[in-house]
Amino acid sequence: YLEDMLRRMRLVVEGSAMMTETQVKVTHDPMFYDTIINMALHNAVEENAALLDVKKLVHKTEDQINVTGGGATDYGNVSYACPGVMFYVEYGDNVVAHTPEYVALGKTEEASNYLKNCAKIMAGVSYDFINDEEFAKNVKDEYLCRLHEKGIEA
């Protein structure tokens, strides 16, 4: 779908240039970037999950992300704009995400409790970032370092 939209947009832009007797060069960045991981945030998620005794925390290690990618297709794009971490708390057994069964299970009290735990983990990591200057510096420094490794200066 996006490729077709780009093709159509290119035609509109080129047509406009022809009508106005001007020139245009159309370029675009990759649609979906890889993920820039942040182990400082990753570890903070694990620590906050442990405080809540969350057993079904799911997020990938650095090696797994490098091999399989991680998260939603656009999460990589977000990870280039700011430090981030992606995780979720599983609920239900043998249920595949993005299926009608998963949606139905998501309406249960159990799923609601898992979602609340995710919110608590995010709040805990946010609290740590705001109140722990060393942690915040580590997150920022790692982010800038990983950008630099990719040839991007922030």
Side-chain angles (χ1 to χ4, degrees):
Y1 176 78
L2 284 175
E3 290 296 333
D4 187 51
M5 290 299 296
L6 279 175
R7 180 189 64 79
R8 292 169 63 194
M9 181 57 75
R10 183 183 305 268
L11 291 173
V12 168
V13 170
E14 290 171 351
S16 298
M18 285 175 36
M19 290 186 317
T20 58
E21 297 179 341
T22 58
Q23 293 181 351
V24 65
K25 179 180 176 185
V26 178
T27 63
H28 68 86
D29 291 332
M31 301 252 187
F32 300 111
Y33 299 135
D34 61 337
T35 298
I36 296 178
I37 61 165
N38 193 294
M39 292 307 295
L41 285 174
H42 181 93
N43 294 336
V45 165
E46 288 184 346
E47 291 165 10
N48 279 274
L51 291 172
L52 295 168
D53 200 30
V54 171
K55 302 287 188 228
K56 293 185 172 185
L57 180 68
V58 178
H59 64 147
K60 297 179 179 180
T61 65
E62 183 169 0
D63 291 336
Q64 289 170 321
I65 289 171
N66 289 336
V67 171
T68 64
T73 52
D74 61 347
Y75 175 68
N77 297 41
V78 173
S79 73
Y80 275 72
C82 63
V85 62
M86 184 163 177
F87 71 96
Y88 62 95
V89 176
E90 272 188 344
Y91 59 88
D93 295 318
N94 301 319
V95 179
V96 178
H98 309 295
T99 63
E101 296 80 12
Y102 186 80
V103 172
L105 188 60
K107 297 176 183 177
T108 65
E109 185 67 26
E110 176 188 19
S112 178
N113 289 332
Y114 283 118
L115 183 59
K116 289 174 189 173
N117 278 335
C118 283
K120 290 176 184 177
I121 292 167
M122 289 190 292
V125 173
S126 299
Y127 178 88
D128 295 342
F129 187 84
I130 292 167
N131 292 291
D132 183 338
E133 290 180 19
E134 183 178 349
F135 170 62
K137 182 179 182 329
N138 289 342
V139 168
K140 293 173 187 175
D141 288 350
E142 180 179 352
Y143 174 70
L144 294 173
C145 179
R146 291 192 187 263
L147 283 176
H148 181 75
E149 289 171 357
K150 292 184 175 289
I152 300 169
E153 297 302 323

